[in-house]
Amino acid sequence: MDFKRLTQPGRIGKMELKNRMIMPGMGTNLAAADGTVSDVIVNYYARRANGGVGLIITEVCCPEPQGRVIPGEIEITNSAFMPGLSRIPHAVHSGGAKVALQLAHGGCFASESVTGQQPISPSGVGTFQLPNDTPREMTIEEIKSLIEKYGLAAQRARQCGFDAVELHGAHGYMPLQFLSGYTNRRTDEYGGSLENRARFALETIRSIKEHAGEDFTLIYRLSADEDVPNGITLNEACTFAKWAEEAGADAIHVSAGTWDSRLHKYNDVMAGKTTAAGKNLTDGIATSMWVQPNYTPRGTLLPLAEGIKKHVTIPVIAVGSISPEMAEDTLEKGNADFIAIGRQIIADPDYPAKITAGKPENIRRCLRCNECLGEVMKSKGISCAVNPEAGKEFESFTTVTPAIYKKKVAVVGSGPAGMQAVLTAVEAGHDVTLFEKDLRLGGTLYYVALPDFKTDFREYTNYMIRMVQNSGAKIETGVEVTAELIQRRGFDSVIVATGASTFKPNIDGAEDETIGDPLEVLDGKIPEGEEIIVCGAGLCGCEVAMFLAEKGKKVTIVDQLSEAAQEMPIYSRWVLNAKMAELEISIKTNHKINKMTGTYINCTTNDETVLYTADAVVCALGLKSRKGLTEALRETCEEVEILTVGDTNAPRKIIQAVHEGYHAARRLGQFPAQPRKNAKVLETTVAQ
């Protein structure tokens, strides 16, 4: 496909951009604890600028300390922060991109646990997500002061070398808290009518232009639909967008949602008060309205951008899991002027360059697994499941350098850990052979990517297979590797990525051949009958259940866990739960399984014995590491360096598999191959 519109130059206000691709603001938690700019955050933005994007919008930057939302948030509250902040424009400009500083005040989302101060908001209204915080209502004097602080922050941003600012009025940040009837209950000039509720945002736009200059580009980020009681609707957003343009905004960046979006509906569904039908919960809940997981269709926010575009003459930026093909089509139809690409540029900073080169098949696909957001929400620095360098750019412990000692390397297993190890080892200059016991590549990832709701994983799997096939590594499929083979063929190093197999728990009947295997089910071995029990409420069990429910089966999940899919980032888990509710999957938690057969299971819950019957039973109670090859190598291959990665160490997530494969291969060339009396098994593990 020709991406001629995505790659066309464009203009926002006085700012000229080399293409229509924008990296939107995303929290990273990479700043220093005192709000100053760190080397890590500068490197993070520099790497993405080098990848060819037209404009980078930084993560949230608070105009006053009371507005911080995450611990590692940058500040611009006074001139002391300017020397550090000025490093970001230098880094981004050196890569050929422009950069905007996103100004954001958390209001009721700026928790006292982060700021040390009681949160403030227009009406003292808080959020479901911070039940321990009690915001207080702002005074008129505080409102006027904050408007002034936004203007001064923009002035400092311009002096630091930023090309623009983005005023964050989406996702529940302070301008939206004033604009929305959900959070604004005031009765003075800043509350009541839409015009009054818009006053704070419009006065802030004028303050920014007054302090930073009329010619300084200002982008307004707008939630065009909140989906909360009395929240902003598209019609109101269109009216506001016109007012924002009149006030001086140079572009409207159209997003959706706030921290409480659809949570009232979700909570009612989970409590059994109503059904999930017609609630749009799988389109996103709370933060996942704008950080959609893989269960949400791509491009769900595009109609909002199209609606805003009809009411303004300034450029409109569309966002929300937009594929390259969707992006080109959106621009061609005139429904938006620029496309924001967020997590995909975390996963592959060279996305824009690959689009420009007409090579979209070489893009390392984002899984939309939301591990990036999950890490930030745990007060850690941003990371990425498929990009081990994300958040650690240009660090000595992540950079792949030419091997000092080139080795003959065997990689055993072609799951995500094995394939990543192959690519990294080849990049370092080693002689690499990949062994796979099956006739196809992919390992367990092949099964994971089969359901229609895992299209993102399928695209990533296909990308990795293509990259491995084109890497120059030798590939041998249908080969069961033994210690004798490794010795006979003279390998210096072995990266064992043999993964894990379906776990058969110590439960009466679990070994019976009538019990369904979850991987076989995903591969098309659908159980006969209408009613299916899936034992296991982990992610594997939930996705197998959804896969079967989408094929018309009536599914019940049973597990002793207290809730389903506990290992998932919370915002993705909410959407997963909603999807299971839409599919009418029954979930029985806190049930200890005592016995299973092909037609029933016996459980204990609340000290009572319960029997559930069905036409078939599938056991999805986890995976067990394959350690046989590792043990055989340790016993016989004394002169071989042995490294274990991925589920071979312990069954976990794709993020650990990819990172361990990457780092094991990266370190291979640091020391020469030499005989050792006792082969040492070096486990490359990544903290969960």
Side-chain angles (χ1 to χ4, degrees), residues 106 171 223 229 246 267 290 325 343 354 392 410 584 601:
H171 309 163
S223 277
E246 292 167 0
N267 290 334
W290 64 90
E325 295 75 18
R343 289 166 294 169
K354 292 173 182 178
K392 309 164 194 68
E584 299 182 348
I601 63 171

Side-chain angles (χ1 to χ4, degrees), residues 587-619:
I587 304 175
K588 309 292 185 183
T589 53
N590 298 306
H591 280 60
K592 181 183 178 183
I593 302 172
N594 304 314
K595 181 179 180 179
M596 63 177 72
T597 73
T599 56
Y600 74 86
I601 63 171
N602 176 291
C603 308
T604 301
T605 180
N606 297 323
D607 297 324
E608 295 183 3
T609 299
V610 182
L611 190 72
Y612 295 105
T613 61
D615 297 307
V617 174
V618 178
C619 182

Side-chain angles (χ1 to χ4, degrees), residues 401-414:
T401 56
I404 301 172
Y405 304 99
K406 296 186 178 181
K407 298 178 180 179
K408 185 176 181 179
V409 179
V411 177
V412 186
S414 68

Side-chain angles (χ1 to χ4, degrees), residues 278-346:
K279 304 293 193 302
N280 299 322
L281 294 177
T282 54
D283 284 351
I285 301 164
T287 303
S288 58
M289 267 192 80
W290 64 90
V291 191
Q292 300 97 339
N294 55 274
Y295 307 113
T296 300
R298 286 184 174 271
T300 55
L301 304 186
L302 284 174
L304 300 179
E306 180 181 357
I308 297 293
K309 179 67 177 168
K310 294 174 182 176
H311 291 82
V312 297
T313 62
I314 54 177
V316 166
I317 304 167
V319 71
S321 297
I322 302 171
S323 69
E325 295 75 18
M326 283 181 179
E328 186 68 15
D329 181 65
T330 297
L331 296 178
E332 183 177 2
K333 290 177 178 176
N335 294 338
D337 303 282
F338 294 86
I339 304 295
I341 305 140
R343 289 166 294 169
Q344 180 58 74
I345 289 184
I346 298 175

